[in-house]
Amino acid sequence: MGVIPRYEAYAPLLTRGWSHAVRTDGTQTFLTPEGLGGVRHRYATSGSGELAWPAWGGYPSEPHWTARFSFGTPTTLVAAFTASLISTEPLQRTVQDVPARTRRALYVATPTGKQQHGTTPVAPPPVPASSHAR
């Protein structure tokens, strides 16, 4: 397996409309369109032991979750992580799996992925078997 360039880890974020800012301190930051999550990439090593890929969900000052990847983390792992951030695939969980402080943000997704607040998922009607005319 070949080496994956670093841009493979953040290119999916850009294709989903995440903003991108580059600073002269050797970092670049990617933020969700609504500003409720981000990934920072330290591409210049300073020898200070800082993380290469810190990420967060929620407001940066009060994130709901954080993830951190060191300079030694394979780019393929970081790329898989960033791909999961932009996935629109619903995530099945029980209410107990979600921290109490974030439960207000829950919604139920239908099989088509549309949001329906305050409802439970309903199975689609059965599709009748096709009949063949003879």
Side-chain angles (χ1 to χ4, degrees):
M1 185 158 110
V3 175
I4 293 181
R6 288 186 183 133
Y7 69 84
E8 293 291 333
Y10 54 77
L13 303 176
L14 297 173
T15 63
R16 288 295 178 113
W18 288 42
S19 66
H20 179 221
V22 180
R23 296 183 47 178
T24 57
D25 66 354
T27 62
Q28 55 186 342
T29 304
F30 304 88
L31 297 174
T32 64
E34 60 281 331
L36 293 176
V39 174
R40 184 164 290 124
H41 176 220
R42 177 169 293 283
Y43 57 87
T45 60
S46 62
S48 65
E50 292 186 47
L51 297 165
W53 297 94
W56 64 94
Y59 293 105
S61 59
E62 292 184 43
H64 296 300
W65 59 265
T66 60
R68 298 176 201 100
F69 301 95
S70 69
F71 279 103
T73 303
T75 304
T76 53
L77 180 60
V78 178
F81 172 76
T82 57
S84 73
L85 290 176
I86 62 165
S87 173
T88 58
E89 191 69 29
L91 183 61
Q92 186 174 0
R93 296 184 184 181
T94 65
V95 173
Q96 292 79 17
D97 291 337
V98 179
R101 66 186 174 111
T102 60
R103 289 182 187 162
R104 69 180 182 275
L106 288 177
Y107 68 89
V108 176
T110 64
T112 60
K114 294 181 182 176
Q115 295 181 11
Q116 293 193 352
H117 295 274
T119 62
T120 56
V122 178
V127 177
S130 62
S131 59
H132 296 283
R134 291 186 182 207

